[in-house]
């Protein structure tokens, strides 16, 4: 088959949708080399180096190069026909308008419908744009992929997508997280970034939904009892200012290390950063999958995350689950992990076992099964 992908985010996004795109496309090419893979992207960047044999297709006509967003959202359909694409996969919740009249079969991956659940946390124009693209993609795709059972349920609830048109295909993460680093490796990483011996870790955008404020309030309740530092890898704007102001008022400024502010962090060091942490704190209010949870499980790092949403799918029986709206519950879990070495070891062992559900070959096989059955 000739399989095409919307590869914009594979080339341009360093996290989230970019990681999903790069990991999936690379895995498919590795495990199913009999097919031909085409990456349709507005521009190519060194962030992603496609595997040998993959073909990158960029806009060629002058007006396509000048109006790249329009090329990606509409005009690319003609290029799909030109390259005899059998299946086109929209990797980030959208398909080009007009693909339903092109004769090209299509698949769309829907990551979440958080903008429908929490519209007030988004710009209204963004909500309108996301909804318009998502509704079209879900209606016209030959098959819809949901990255979790939670997302499947949301698609059925919000957009009335028939259950039989949705396939749940879990995502994997970069294989670098599976490598166990030596104690010296982790020590060198801590020295490089001037990190303390023991710390909790937060990985993700600093936005309201991901609930860093809840962690800050948990730190406040533990003040004088458990004063371990928190390392934050992620950035934000208005909400980040709110969190920093709260930390300042409560005298906790020195306890939180904003890694993005102190250093230019290298992705290659992320597995060691996880492995050096006492636990990942991920008390998000809602996610589509929660990739940092999986990265932590592979890294043998205990995970404290939220009840509900998709978290039990990703964390399985390996994580400690808390009410994200109760800082005292977050604080209690933090105390448990620090105080109980047997618990930490049990969480690490269970985490590695649960992570086996999300190996790259299994994730690629699930998506290929979708391709072969539409």
């Amino acid at each position: 088959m000739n399989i095409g992908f919307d590869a914009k985010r594979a080339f341009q996004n360093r996290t989230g949708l970019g990681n999903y795109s790069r990991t999936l496309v690379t895995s498919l090419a590795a495990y199913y080399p009999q097919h031909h893979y085409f990456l349709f992207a507005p521009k190519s960047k060194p962030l992603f180096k496609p595997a040998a044999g993959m073909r990158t297709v960029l806009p060629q006509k002058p007006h396509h190069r000048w109006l790249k967003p329009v090329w990606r959202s509409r005009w690319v359909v003609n290029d799909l026909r030109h390259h005899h694409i059998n299946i086109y996969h929209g990797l980030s919740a959208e398909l080009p308008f007009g693909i339903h009249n092109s004769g090209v079969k299509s698949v769309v991956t829907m990551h979440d419908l958080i903008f429908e659940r929490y519209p007030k946390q988004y710009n209204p124009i963004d909500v309108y744009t996301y909804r318009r693209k998502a509704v079209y993609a879900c209606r016209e795709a030959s098959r819809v992929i949901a990255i979790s059972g939670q997302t499947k349920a949301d698609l059925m609830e919000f957009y009335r997508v028939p259950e039989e048109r949705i396939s749940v295909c879990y995502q994997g993460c970069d294989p670098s997280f599976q490598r166990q680093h030596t104690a010296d490796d982790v020590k060198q990483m801590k020295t490089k970034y001037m990190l303390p011996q023991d710390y909790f870790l937060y990985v993700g955008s600093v936005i309201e939904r991901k609930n860093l404020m809840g962690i800050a309030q948990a730190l406040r309740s533990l003040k004088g009892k458990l004063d371990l530092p928190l390392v934050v890898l992620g950035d934000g704007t208005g909400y980040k200012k709110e969190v920093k102001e709260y930390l300042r008022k409560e005298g906790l400024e020195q306890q939180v290390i904003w890694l993005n502010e102190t250093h230019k962090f290298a992705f290659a060091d992320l597995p060691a950063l996880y492995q050096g942490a006492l636990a990942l704190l991920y008390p998000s209010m809602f996610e589509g999958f929660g990739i940092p949870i999986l990265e932590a499980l592979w890294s043998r790092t205990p995970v404290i995350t939220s009840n509900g949403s998709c978290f039990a799918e990703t964390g399985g029986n390996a994580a400690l689950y808390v009410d994200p709206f109760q800082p005292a519950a977050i604080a209690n879990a933090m105390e448990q992990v620090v105080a109980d070495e047997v618990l930490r070891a049990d969480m690490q062992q269970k985490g590695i076992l649960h992570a086996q559900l999300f190996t790259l070959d299994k994730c690629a096989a699930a998506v290929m099964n979708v391709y072969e059955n539409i």
Side-chain angles (χ1 to χ4, degrees), residues 300-318:
R300 295 170 172 79
T301 301
V303 174
I304 297 171
T305 189
S306 303
N307 292 314
S309 186
C310 64
F311 302 111
E313 291 182 75
T314 313
N317 65 347

Side-chain angles (χ1 to χ4, degrees), residues 135-172:
V135 167
Y136 174 80
C138 289
R139 184 180 69 237
E140 302 299 346
S142 308
R143 193 75 178 176
V144 178
I145 286 177
I147 63 167
S148 64
Q150 177 64 61
T151 295
K152 176 180 178 179
D154 285 352
L155 290 169
M156 295 168 63
E157 176 184 350
F158 286 98
Y159 295 158
R160 300 292 185 263
V161 181
E163 182 175 9
E164 62 271 15
R165 293 191 59 240
I166 307 171
S167 297
V168 174
C169 300
Y170 291 119
Q171 64 184 104

Side-chain angles (χ1 to χ4, degrees), residues 4 29 59 70-71 106 115 121 141 180 186 236 247 307 329 358 365:
V70 183
W71 173 80
S106 61
F115 61 90
Q121 296 187 21
Q180 189 67 19
V186 175
L247 294 170
N307 292 314
F358 310 99

Side-chain angles (χ1 to χ4, degrees), residues 19-312:
N19 287 336
Y20 171 79
S21 300
R22 287 185 290 273
T23 301
L24 177 59
V25 170
T26 302
S27 299
L28 288 168
Y31 293 109
Y32 302 94
Q34 69 270 33
H35 300 299
H36 306 288
Y37 300 96
F38 295 75
L39 307 175
F40 292 85
K43 53 186 172 181
S44 174
K45 286 192 169 185
L47 175 62
F48 180 42
K49 294 179 175 57
M54 285 187 187
R55 181 171 176 181
T56 301
V57 181
L58 305 175
Q60 297 298 313
K61 296 179 180 179
H63 64 292
H64 290 182
R65 293 197 298 271
W66 297 332
L67 298 170
K68 291 184 176 69
V70 183
W71 173 80
R72 176 172 172 263
S73 64
R74 290 185 182 275
W75 296 332
V76 72
V77 172
N78 290 328
D79 291 325
L80 302 183
R81 286 192 291 242
H82 175 74
H83 290 284
H84 306 290
I85 299 301
N86 301 115
I87 296 174
Y88 183 74
H89 190 163
L91 296 169
S92 53
E94 58 184 303
L95 291 171
F97 292 101
I99 196 169
H100 64 289
N101 291 322
S102 69
V104 178
K105 293 179 180 179
S106 61
V107 174
V108 65
T109 294
M110 302 299 297
H111 297 265
D112 59 69
L113 293 183
I114 294 170
F115 61 90
E116 297 286 12
R117 285 190 171 272
Y118 298 95
K120 292 182 179 179
Q121 296 187 21
Y122 292 81
N123 182 302
I125 295 175
D126 289 339
V127 173
Y128 169 79
T129 302
Y130 298 155
R131 180 180 295 143
R132 179 169 173 263
K133 291 179 177 180
V135 167
Y136 174 80
C138 289
R139 184 180 69 237
E140 302 299 346
S142 308
R143 193 75 178 176
V144 178
I145 286 177
I147 63 167
S148 64
Q150 177 64 61
T151 295
K152 176 180 178 179
D154 285 352
L155 290 169
M156 295 168 63
E157 176 184 350
F158 286 98
Y159 295 158
R160 300 292 185 263
V161 181
E163 182 175 9
E164 62 271 15
R165 293 191 59 240
I166 307 171
S167 297
V168 174
C169 300
Y170 291 119
Q171 64 184 104
C173 65
D174 192 285
S176 63
F177 292 98
Q178 299 180 30
R179 178 192 163 210
Q180 189 67 19
H181 289 266
T182 66
D184 283 343
D185 289 339
V186 175
K187 183 178 180 181
Q188 289 175 19
M189 180 278 302
K190 291 178 179 177
T191 301
K192 178 179 177 180
Y193 295 106
M194 296 185 290
L195 298 179
Q197 173 62 32
D198 296 314
Y199 57 87
F200 290 107
L201 179 63
Y202 171 100
V203 175
S205 301
V206 183
I207 56 177
E208 183 179 354
R209 172 174 53 84
K210 292 187 181 288
N211 199 27
L212 183 56
M213 183 67 82
I215 298 175
Q217 292 168 341
L219 292 175
R220 170 66 183 84
S221 71
L222 291 170
K223 196 172 182 179
K225 293 192 297 180
L226 184 66
D227 296 318
L228 287 173
L230 171 69
V231 174
V232 175
L233 180 61
D235 210 351
T237 52
Y239 181 73
K240 178 182 176 181
K241 290 180 181 178
E242 291 180 31
V243 174
K244 294 186 85 168
E245 178 59 20
Y246 176 84
L247 294 170
R248 185 191 66 77
K249 286 182 178 179
E250 299 296 338
L252 297 167
E253 283 180 294
Q254 301 306 310
Q255 199 172 332
V256 178
I257 300 166
W258 301 89
L259 201 50
N260 283 14
E261 294 182 1
T262 58
H263 293 83
K264 185 175 181 180
F265 189 79
F267 176 82
D269 293 324
L270 187 53
L273 183 70
Y274 275 110
Q275 290 176 30
L278 283 167
L280 172 73
L281 305 183
Y282 201 73
S284 176
M285 299 173 187
F286 198 88
E287 296 290 334
F289 182 78
I291 196 69
I293 296 173
L294 181 56
E295 292 171 347
L297 296 186
W298 278 120
S299 302
R300 295 170 172 79
T301 301
V303 174
I304 297 171
T305 189
S306 303
N307 292 314
S309 186
C310 64
F311 302 111

